[in-house]
Amino acid sequence: MSGHDHPQAIGGKMLDPLMKILLAVFGVSALVMAYRFVTGIGSVSNMTDGFTWGIWEPINVVVFTGIGAGAYGVGLLCYLLNKGQYHGLVRPAVLLGAIAYTLGGSSIMIALGRYWNAVTLPIVPWWNLSSALLEVAVCVMMYVMVLWIEVLPAIFDGAAQSKSPRWSAIGKRWGARMAKAMPYIIALAILLPTMHQSSLGGLYLIAGPKLHPLWHTALLPTLFLVSCLSMGYGAVVVLVNILRLNWNAKQDQALFASMSKVNAGFLLLYVVLRLGDIVLHGKLRFLGADFATFLFVVEMALFIAPAVMFVMPGVQRNRGKLFGAALLAILAGAVYRADTYMTMYRPAGWTADGKSIAAGWDYFPSVGETIVTVGMAAVGMAIFVFISRLFPVVVVDQGKKSTIGRGEVRAASGH
Amino acid sequence: MTISRRDLLKGAVAAGAAVAIPATAEARHEIEPLPDAVGMLFDSTLCVGCRACQSACKVANKLPEDKVEANGGVYDAPNDLNSTTKNVIKAFPAGDTQHYMKQQCMHCVDPSCVSVCMLGALHKEGEGKRDFKGEKKGTGIVLWDKWTCVGCRYCQIGCAFNVPKFEWFEAFPAIVKCELCRHRRDEQKSGPLAVANPACCEVCPREAVVFGYRKDLLAEAKRRVAADPQRYNPHVYGEHDGGGTQVLYLAAAGVQFHDLGLPDLPERSQAEFSESVSHAPYLYGVTPIALYAAMAFVINRNKKKEEAAEHGEEGKR
Ligand code: SF4
Ligand code: SF4
């Protein structure tokens, strides 16, 4: 045994009430999606030629993948900076990332009007390398594969611990092979999000005249990259806290405290970049008594608050407070991303002094659109529960007996 | 177990290498209008709002009516460009008169829609990514290809004129926009008519909109302004706006183009800005490869160190 704690399968009843609710919600959203494929996107959504992406891109893709960036953030610390103590967080973070990105990718397929032509995406000579969206699409597709490959060690590990000798042999053999290849896969798993998370910001460079000047900047790619890390670290803290409450997952508060200090650094870096950009480019004049300024101040507060909390010893020691700060860190990035993609986007653009120009379009998400987004999140949680029950993903605290958990904690067995 | 300042510094350097501050961007070249580009010139001082062009466009492009019910009757009365309308006339009140404006694709010199389109579904004629038969190079007409469009609608985000339209209520939707009636061209003819023949220009009774080579239209616009400076706003919209467009506009003296629904755009095209910023950190693909190699090396070394440590002492923390 090394110093690392070993993850184990949670086991327990698969179709518990939570699972049933999650699947029911997803079922409803699946009906909406089916209806969309028959009647067109307009009949389930409030999207128009003016607000053409509705909430599906901004939330399902841009916010979900931000949350999924926990895998990227933990990978950076654990493998690139060689902070071995973060090992216990790798598997939950990677599984969360794999699921979030898979959902993001599937949401794109639902949002694409002419999804059948997406089969031509692998034809490299047809690639328009100027398109930020192409970069995102290709990169995200590759990264989804890489993330699931990163989940495989947990699966092989589960197989290796199986009672069936055949499964056990397969698990051991492939587990060892994977271990050799891992560094090369992990390097990809760090490179790809670096590229596509910045491209997600780069996507809105072209929207120049349509995006409010306080949001439109050449730093969009950098700000999106930084905000995915702050969201990702926050998401890992939140996730493990939830796992502890439900399954008695091991939660190393000191470890969280030091990871959150890193997060405080990223949150503040974001604030400095954003403010610096606005000051240097003479955009202070857009601050006034209006909605844009209000949103901007809210965003800044959302970034600064968790940063300050993360460095306070009182918060670092207290599970509840650190959890709250981590939630704020996710919210900060989510609000920034949604504002950039939606709230501060106007099809007819903005006047020179930052007033929105009227156009024939208004937008508020429809019930159908919202159900699809909620259903996607629900099925994501269901998949997480499913895999963690069957395979060793979560590190369980051996010191205490699980009381709240659904089903007692036990090691994986392959029956 | 805490993270030292040096570690953070190392991390910051790695992140910085990946996303170099965009200020260092080597700019992607500015795109000049093609010498034989075709386009249109619309003179809003001549348009009387008869909408002959709007109807002719529907016929020429086999577009259904945009039925609007009012006063017990049904009218083909689109109030904007939409998936059944590639060309629309709008009235803008100014002072005690009306000014009529024609809207359709501007066939930009450096189009945002072309810059963003993943597989080149929207492309300048003859410059698409896949092999298009029968397309001439050098016309500058922005065409849409149904075989490579995935319906992502990024073109709608990119286009500052809100031109590309989507069929929201179709199971198999298309992107709809003006293609300058390239399908009506006549190879037997000489000059611009061999390239395209927009129905709107053919029917306009007042020659408020005319078709031709962009360079000729620009000269004609400047000639009109010079001949009657009292009548015109001296600015020819589209000469430089948004990097230049192949459809040019003239407005009456004292009337601003943004009062006629055309956006105020900088001279640098948005595509050039966006591509320069986002390509800069990639250095033609060198950065990702170098970064990958460096990271694989570091991660591998870390793993070996880690393993050695594990064999040495119990519980490295
Ligand atoms: S007006 Fe819009 S659709 Fe037409 S070429 Fe320019 S960017 Fe493309
Ligand atoms: S909707 Fe079609 S034409 Fe428009 S950017 Fe996407 S792929 Fe290109």
Side-chain angles (χ1 to χ4, degrees):
Chain A
M1 282 281 257
S2 76
H4 303 317
D5 301 294
H6 279 286
Q8 52 183 271
I10 301 298
K13 190 157 158 270
M14 202 48 94
L15 269 182
D16 62 0
L18 172 74
M19 194 64 148
K20 283 183 190 152
I21 295 172
L22 292 175
L23 291 179
V25 173
F26 176 66
V28 177
S29 78
L31 289 178
V32 177
M33 292 180 222
Y35 190 66
R36 166 255 174 277
F37 281 107
V38 180
T39 59
I41 300 174
S43 57
V44 301
S45 76
N46 283 346
M47 296 174 204
T48 54
D49 288 320
F51 293 93
T52 189
W53 278 356
I55 54 170
W56 287 351
E57 259 86 359
I59 308 292
N60 300 23
V61 181
V62 185
V63 173
F64 280 13
T65 61
I67 292 172
Y72 169 45
V74 173
L76 272 180
L77 288 178
C78 189
Y79 298 112
L80 203 58
L81 298 180
N82 204 21
K83 302 287 156 199
Q85 64 272 29
Y86 289 100
H87 261 295
L89 300 179
V90 167
R91 283 189 183 178
V94 164
L95 183 56
L96 176 68
I99 292 170
Y101 269 87
T102 306
L103 294 179
S106 346
S107 298
I108 297 185
M109 290 311 286
I110 293 153
L112 285 186
R114 302 171 62 84
Y115 50 86
W116 62 92
N117 272 347
V119 297
T120 57
L121 265 174
I123 306 180
V124 180
W126 290 5
W127 285 3
N128 172 14
L129 294 174
S130 321
S131 169
L133 192 61
L134 179 93
E135 209 268 337
V136 170
V138 172
C139 228
V140 166
M141 280 193 296
M142 283 172 69
Y143 187 50
V144 168
M145 277 189 275
V146 167
L147 278 167
W148 285 111
I149 292 174
E150 280 194 289
V151 173
L152 281 180
I155 311 285
F156 291 137
D157 211 8
Q161 291 168 31
S162 148
K163 285 191 191 108
S164 137
R166 219 175 96 230
W167 280 120
S168 171
I170 291 178
K172 282 190 186 117
R173 173 149 23 92
W174 282 96
R177 283 185 192 165
M178 282 287 309
K180 282 217 183 69
M182 258 348 236
Y184 303 96
I185 293 165
I186 293 165
L188 254 191
I190 295 178
L191 177 70
L192 292 174
T194 312
M195 286 165 60
H196 67 242
Q197 283 293 342
S198 32
S199 294
L200 278 177
L203 267 177
Y204 264 57
L205 289 169
I206 195 91
K210 298 178 171 187
L211 189 57
H212 190 280
L214 287 175
W215 278 264
H216 188 262
T217 153
L219 281 182
L220 272 169
T222 318
L223 289 172
F224 267 64
L225 184 65
V226 175
S227 66
C228 93
L229 285 165
S230 61
M231 289 176 83
Y233 287 126
V236 172
V237 172
V238 168
L239 174 70
V240 175
N241 261 292
I242 294 173
L243 294 178
R244 176 180 60 82
L245 289 175
N246 286 302
W247 292 334
N248 194 26
K250 184 169 183 274
Q251 177 181 334
D252 184 337
Q253 192 64 18
L255 186 64
F256 273 7
S258 71
M259 187 170 81
S260 296
K261 271 191 265 171
V262 177
N263 199 353
F266 281 111
L267 289 160
L268 287 176
L269 175 62
Y270 171 94
V271 172
V272 169
L273 288 172
R274 189 89 193 273
L275 287 178
D277 174 65
I278 281 170
V279 174
L280 287 181
H281 290 99
K283 291 188 182 167
L284 283 174
R285 66 192 179 88
F286 291 109
L287 296 173
D290 58 6
F291 180 61
T293 308
F294 169 73
L295 267 189
F296 180 76
V297 171
V298 168
E299 280 181 20
M300 284 295 118
L302 276 174
F303 274 91
I304 294 170
V308 172
M309 289 170 77
F310 282 147
V311 293
M312 297 192 331
V315 175
Q316 290 173 358
R317 259 181 269 116
N318 184 302
R319 277 177 176 164
K321 286 181 187 159
L322 195 75
F323 178 77
L327 269 182
L328 282 179
I330 302 179
L331 193 64
V335 168
Y336 168 60
R337 286 163 174 241
D339 284 351
T340 307
Y341 267 67
M342 258 185 331
T343 328
M344 298 320 283
Y345 174 87
R346 291 288 180 286
W350 304 81
T351 62
D353 46 350
K355 305 260 172 308
S356 89
I357 300 173
W361 299 284
D362 279 317
Y363 173 76
F364 194 82
S366 74
V367 176
E369 253 172 291
T370 316
I371 287 177
V372 169
T373 298
V374 173
M376 282 292 188
V379 76
M381 288 184 230
I383 297 171
F384 193 98
V385 172
F386 177 82
I387 295 183
S388 335
R389 283 197 188 283
L390 276 187
F391 299 100
V393 172
V394 180
V395 178
V396 174
D397 196 342
Q398 305 289 18
K400 299 181 283 173
K401 259 252 142 294
S402 165
T403 45
I404 325 160
R406 296 167 219 284
E408 81 211 65
V409 174
R410 61 188 168 78
S413 52
H415 54 75
Chain B
M1 126 132 234
T2 47
I3 289 157
S4 75
R5 221 161 266 139
R6 225 181 101 242
D7 291 331
L8 279 182
L9 211 66
K10 271 196 277 177
V13 169
V19 194
I21 297 301
T24 59
E26 3 83 68
R28 176 266 231 174
H29 289 300
E30 201 181 302
I31 291 182
E32 293 294 330
L34 298 163
D36 285 331
V38 290
M40 302 192 286
L41 169 62
F42 177 78
D43 186 335
S44 80
T45 69
L46 294 175
C47 177
V48 289
C50 72
R51 294 166 199 258
C53 58
Q54 205 176 288
S55 310
C57 175
K58 293 230 163 175
V59 175
N61 290 290
K62 300 192 181 67
L63 293 165
E65 285 118 22
D66 190 1
K67 291 197 181 105
V68 174
E69 278 181 52
N71 308 324
V74 181
Y75 302 79
D76 177 18
N79 62 6
D80 203 346
L81 296 176
N82 56 43
S83 60
T84 63
T85 311
K86 294 181 176 182
N87 170 35
V88 73
I89 295 289
K90 289 185 186 170
F92 291 90
D96 46 4
T97 52
Q98 296 277 5
H99 290 275
Y100 294 101
M101 265 305 269
K102 183 177 184 293
Q103 280 186 359
Q104 73 297 304
C105 177
M106 307 288 282
H107 298 279
C108 303
V109 169
D110 185 5
S112 299
C113 63
V114 170
S115 163
V116 303
C117 189
M118 291 200 274
L119 300 171
L122 282 166
H123 60 280
K124 292 233 140 188
E125 183 176 12
E127 296 172 47
K129 298 289 165 189
R130 74 179 183 87
D131 192 16
F132 293 98
K133 286 188 187 63
E135 288 192 5
K136 289 188 182 172
K137 235 182 138 105
T139 70
I141 302 174
V142 177
L143 297 174
W144 176 76
D145 170 39
K146 68 175 173 189
W147 299 108
T148 43
C149 170
V150 295
C152 66
R153 310 189 290 286
Y154 191 17
C155 48
Q156 297 192 301
I157 304 263
C159 173
F161 304 96
N162 292 307
V163 166
K165 298 297 171 194
F166 181 71
E167 294 179 324
W168 290 98
F169 295 93
E170 296 289 336
F172 305 107
I175 291 287
V176 178
K177 78 165 200 67
C178 157
E179 295 179 302
L180 217 60
C181 286
R182 178 185 152 274
H183 64 289
R184 296 178 80 246
R185 73 179 178 198
D186 185 350
E187 306 261 24
Q188 316 301 348
K189 298 211 166 102
S190 62
L193 288 181
V195 174
N197 182 12
C200 54
C201 299
E202 199 177 70
V203 299
C204 180
R206 305 253 309 156
E207 295 194 351
V209 61
V210 288
F211 170 69
Y213 289 119
R214 182 183 188 271
K215 53 178 187 271
D216 299 340
L217 297 171
L218 185 59
E220 168 63 12
K222 289 185 169 165
R223 191 195 60 75
R224 289 187 199 177
V225 172
D228 199 348
Q230 308 295 334
R231 183 184 171 98
Y232 288 104
N233 175 340
H235 179 70
V236 180
Y237 190 96
E239 182 180 8
H240 300 297
D241 307 71
T245 54
Q246 294 179 198
V247 176
L248 305 168
Y249 282 84
L250 284 173
V255 175
Q256 300 300 312
F257 285 98
H258 62 230
D259 293 328
L260 300 176
L262 286 170
D264 291 321
L265 296 176
E267 291 195 358
R268 186 182 188 193
S269 79
Q270 211 55 39
E272 189 212 325
F273 167 75
S274 131
E275 287 179 28
S276 318
V277 172
S278 36
H279 286 179
Y282 285 86
L283 298 173
Y284 305 101
V286 175
T287 331
I289 294 167
L291 208 60
Y292 177 78
M295 287 192 305
F297 172 78
V298 172
I299 293 166
N300 224 343
R301 199 199 52 190
N302 287 346
K303 184 173 168 241
K304 295 223 173 81
K305 265 204 263 177
E306 175 100 337
E307 277 163 3
E310 273 176 21
H311 290 301
E313 59 194 293
E314 181 79 2
K316 170 182 172 274
R317 273 239 141 173

